[in-house]
Structure formats: C-alpha cells, structure tokens
Amino acid sequence: MKKLSFWAVLTLTAVLMLAETAFARIYGGTVLYSMTPKFSLKFITPILFGVIDFAVVKRIFKDKLTVIASTLVVFFVFFFAVCYPTISVYSSYYKGKFTDLAGTVSSFQSDAKEESFVINGVVFENYVGSGLGYDLSADNGGVVTGDGQLLYIRYVEAGGRNVICYIENVM
C-alpha cells in the first residue's frame, strides 16, 4: 500500500472540507462541525519523556545500546498511549472509514465534563476538552444543544466509543 505524502493528505483534507460544505448547501443543511487536523501539546509528550529518559538513563548506564533501547521504549509507549488514538481517528475519517447517521437527538444530557445523547439508538458520549473529534459541550459553544435536533453525523468507532467527526444540521 502506498503511503500518502504530507501534501497529498493536506490536499485531500481541503477537498473533503469543500465537498462537505457543498453537500450541505445542496441538501439544505448547515455544517455545524467538521473535524480538521489540529496541533495539540499532547503530541510533544512522547518526545519530552523520551528526552528525559535519555538524560536519566545516560547518567545511570554507560552502555549506548541500553540508553538507546530505553529511550525508544519510552518514546513508543507514550506515542501509542497518547498520540496513536488521535492519529487513528483522523486516518480512518480521511480514508472514508466512517459511519453516516441521520436522525433526531434524544436522551440529551450535559454537564461540565461530559455530554451524551442518542441518535437512532447509537449512543454518543462527548468527553469535553478531550481533543478527539467533537469535544464541546452545549454550555461551551457546542452545536448539539438538546433533544429534538435533526442532525446528520459522521463518526468513527475508536477505543470503545463513537468519535464524532462531522455534524450537519438537517433542515
């Protein structure tokens, strides 16, 4: 399988965003949320802990192989724990591996840390401020505001939950 270059991914992202907006205009909806790649400080975590590990292990062990192996292990453990879930969701979404769903919001519940609702029997739990997909609450500028909204949603199943990548208000 060929890997896409950075510029190809950037171009595909722009095309997808334009296509989503055009789709909404044709069918009378309004795009309320569209996931776009964004930098997060959590992406620095593996590098930071790798450098710290390198400095500490280098002082303890004089063997270069031990220092390099330890640094790589720490880096990859933090990478797969912190960064990989986000990268996986973006990758799935932009490769078209998402599920479409349209329906009316029901069982809407919101508080400062979590928001949840159901559309056609599919449960969405939005962890406010998680940085993964749609992560706003209704109180903090979120677009899902309560029961009765008619929405078109695209989501990716990741880590045992449904991560919302796109929301459109259906008129």
Side-chain angles (χ1 to χ4, degrees), residues 93 96-101 122 124 152-157:
Y93 180 62
K97 297 178 181 175
F98 53 80
T99 304
D100 292 312
L101 178 68
V122 179
F124 294 96
Y152 168 75
I153 291 180
R154 289 182 180 163
Y155 66 94
V156 173
E157 294 177 29

Side-chain angles (χ1 to χ4, degrees), residues 27-43:
Y27 293 101
T30 304
V31 176
L32 301 175
Y33 171 81
S34 182
M35 182 176 72
T36 55
K38 57 186 172 188
F39 177 77
S40 174
L41 289 176
K42 70 180 176 183
F43 292 133

Side-chain angles (χ1 to χ4, degrees), residues 41-78:
L41 289 176
K42 70 180 176 183
F43 292 133
I44 297 174
T45 305
I47 296 168
L48 179 66
F49 279 96
V51 169
I52 291 169
D53 177 74
F54 178 81
V56 170
V57 173
K58 187 175 179 184
R59 288 184 177 264
I60 297 171
F61 298 99
K62 301 300 178 198
D63 181 29
K64 289 182 181 179
L65 185 61
T66 304
V67 173
I68 291 170
S70 173
T71 302
L72 288 175
V73 166
V74 167
F75 173 81
F76 284 110
V77 163
F78 277 94

Side-chain angles (χ1 to χ4, degrees), residues 6-140:
F6 170 77
W7 295 109
V9 170
L10 195 60
T11 303
L12 287 171
T13 302
V15 168
L16 183 62
M17 289 170 63
L18 290 172
E20 288 174 344
T21 303
F23 176 82
R25 288 184 184 146
I26 290 169
Y27 293 101
T30 304
V31 176
L32 301 175
Y33 171 81
S34 182
M35 182 176 72
T36 55
K38 57 186 172 188
F39 177 77
S40 174
L41 289 176
K42 70 180 176 183
F43 292 133
I44 297 174
T45 305
I47 296 168
L48 179 66
F49 279 96
V51 169
I52 291 169
D53 177 74
F54 178 81
V56 170
V57 173
K58 187 175 179 184
R59 288 184 177 264
I60 297 171
F61 298 99
K62 301 300 178 198
D63 181 29
K64 289 182 181 179
L65 185 61
T66 304
V67 173
I68 291 170
S70 173
T71 302
L72 288 175
V73 166
V74 167
F75 173 81
F76 284 110
V77 163
F78 277 94
F79 175 80
F80 283 106
V82 176
C83 301
Y84 185 74
T86 302
I87 293 169
S88 175
V89 168
Y90 280 113
S91 176
S92 295
Y93 180 62
Y94 288 110
K95 287 180 181 177
K97 297 178 181 175
F98 53 80
T99 304
D100 292 312
L101 178 68
T104 304
V105 173
S106 63
S107 303
F108 180 83
Q109 296 179 352
S110 182
D111 63 30
K113 295 181 182 178
E114 187 177 334
E115 184 173 272
S116 65
F117 57 92
V118 177
I119 296 178
N120 294 345
V122 179
V123 177
F124 294 96
E125 293 179 335
N126 168 22
Y127 299 100
V128 177
S130 68
L132 187 56
Y134 175 71
D135 64 348
L136 296 171
S137 69
D139 295 336
N140 295 324

